[in-house]
Amino acid sequence: MKIAIASKGNSLDSLLDMNFGRCECFIIYDTENKEVEVLSNPNKDALEAAGTTSVQLMAARSVSKIVAGEFGMKIKPLLDSLRIQMIVFNKPETSVRKLISMLNH
Amino acid sequence: MSPRNTTLRKVVNPPQIKGFKPYGAENSKLNSEPVILLLEEYEALRLCDYDHCNQLEASVLMGVSRPTFTRVYASALRKIAKAFVEARVISIKGGRVYFDSDWFHCRSCGCFFNNPDKEQTIANCPLCCSDEISGYDYACG
Ligand SMILES: [Zn+2]
């Protein structure tokens, strides 16, 4: 299963981004093979529709869950209809590495 | 309460905070009575001025009529103006809202998550796997 983490940077030490649609990078963690893929967000500077385009990107990568500090209002019904689970984590000081260790339980 | 106020308004995500506090005023000048900003008012403001929806789109997203939306939005602006001018605390709570899909809160790691598959029941937090989870009812927050 692939889990995307909205990240402020491109490394495991980067911090969780509080904004899903306009985050710097998506770090996609595959729970089966423990591999990590870093995708820079092509929509981060978009004035409009950053969120919806990011949703399409997640769907194209077959992501099942997304961790972010916040999801935009237009985003949730889209993710709902795609059956992608949203995990809202309001702790901006959390690193991607820490989140992955949490996901590994 | 008038009948038109009985419709529940759809809200997607909870605000990250419980409210705002003014600073810079002498304590004695702080107005002690907070302004209560209802969750639907918060959501209306967020849809229009943060997510840049127009009022029609926003009313559809919240599941209310356009006139109702306009009323809720106008009320949000008035309350915030009042708080700013009169140096009052803004407390965000209450209102007649529901959330689109079932949401849960994990007491162990503090995350919020939804259940995208309504056929499946959720027993564990998807982030930390704790079973210390409970349904999250924003309307009562
Ligand atoms: Zn948890």
Side-chain angles (χ1 to χ4, degrees):
Chain A
M1 180 190 2
K2 287 181 177 175
I3 304 172
I5 299 169
S7 167
K8 284 189 189 303
N10 59 9
S11 84
L12 291 180
D13 294 314
S14 304
L15 298 180
L16 176 68
D17 203 299
M18 290 294 103
N19 186 317
F20 161 73
R22 293 194 176 83
C23 67
E24 192 70 29
C25 290
F26 295 106
I27 296 193
I28 300 177
Y29 176 64
D30 190 323
T31 54
E32 263 113 74
N33 57 21
K34 313 281 180 202
E35 274 175 14
V36 171
E37 180 188 10
V38 178
L39 270 184
S40 74
N41 183 358
N43 315 306
K44 66 184 160 73
D45 297 318
L47 290 177
E48 284 180 42
T52 45
T53 322
S54 298
V55 168
Q56 287 159 8
L57 184 64
M58 296 297 98
R61 296 282 167 154
S62 309
V63 163
S64 315
K65 299 169 192 248
I66 303 170
V67 186
E70 182 72 89
F71 295 86
M73 186 71 197
K74 286 179 174 174
I75 302 311
K76 185 179 171 293
L78 292 176
L79 290 173
D80 246 352
S81 62
L82 292 165
R83 296 209 167 177
I84 297 175
Q85 186 176 44
M86 286 164 273
I87 303 172
V88 178
F89 199 60
N90 290 337
K91 293 177 184 167
E93 71 285 4
T94 315
S95 70
V96 172
R97 190 187 304 279
K98 163 82 177 153
L99 288 165
I100 289 177
S101 75
M102 287 169 80
L103 289 166
N104 280 329
H105 313 311
Chain B
M1 190 173 279
S2 73
R4 68 178 181 180
N5 277 342
T6 56
T7 324
L8 291 179
R9 289 83 195 243
K10 191 192 287 183
V11 170
V12 169
N13 281 322
Q16 299 187 35
I17 48 159
K18 290 202 157 71
F20 282 93
K21 232 177 188 167
Y23 75 97
E26 286 170 37
N27 264 350
S28 59
K29 288 186 182 156
L30 261 186
N31 230 312
S32 59
E33 190 66 26
V35 166
I36 309 293
L37 188 69
L38 300 177
L39 278 163
E40 67 243 37
E41 292 165 342
Y42 165 89
E43 194 73 0
L45 190 71
R46 171 173 144 134
L47 282 171
C48 277
D49 298 311
Y50 186 81
D51 279 337
H52 305 298
C53 295
N54 64 41
Q55 291 209 355
L56 184 62
E57 290 172 336
S59 66
V60 171
L61 284 169
M62 285 180 74
V64 296
S65 70
R66 171 75 192 269
T68 297
F69 180 86
T70 304
R71 229 162 15 81
V72 171
Y73 178 73
S75 170
L77 291 187
R78 273 197 307 273
K79 286 182 176 178
I80 288 164
K82 183 180 170 74
F84 276 21
V85 173
E86 298 177 3
R88 290 176 191 268
V89 166
I90 300 175
S91 177
I92 307 173
K93 63 180 179 187
R96 309 186 62 81
V97 296
Y98 73 98
F99 278 72
D100 196 18
S101 62
D102 290 341
W103 280 74
F104 298 85
H105 175 57
C106 172
R107 291 190 296 278
S108 179
C109 73
C111 78
F112 298 91
F113 55 93
N114 72 327
N115 180 5
D117 187 352
K118 290 168 179 66
E119 329 279 82
Q120 298 267 314
T121 52
I122 286 188
N124 296 91
C125 170
L127 188 54
C128 74
C129 205
S130 164
D131 60 3
E132 296 277 297
I133 62 168
S134 47
Y136 192 70
D137 184 359
Y138 296 101
C140 298

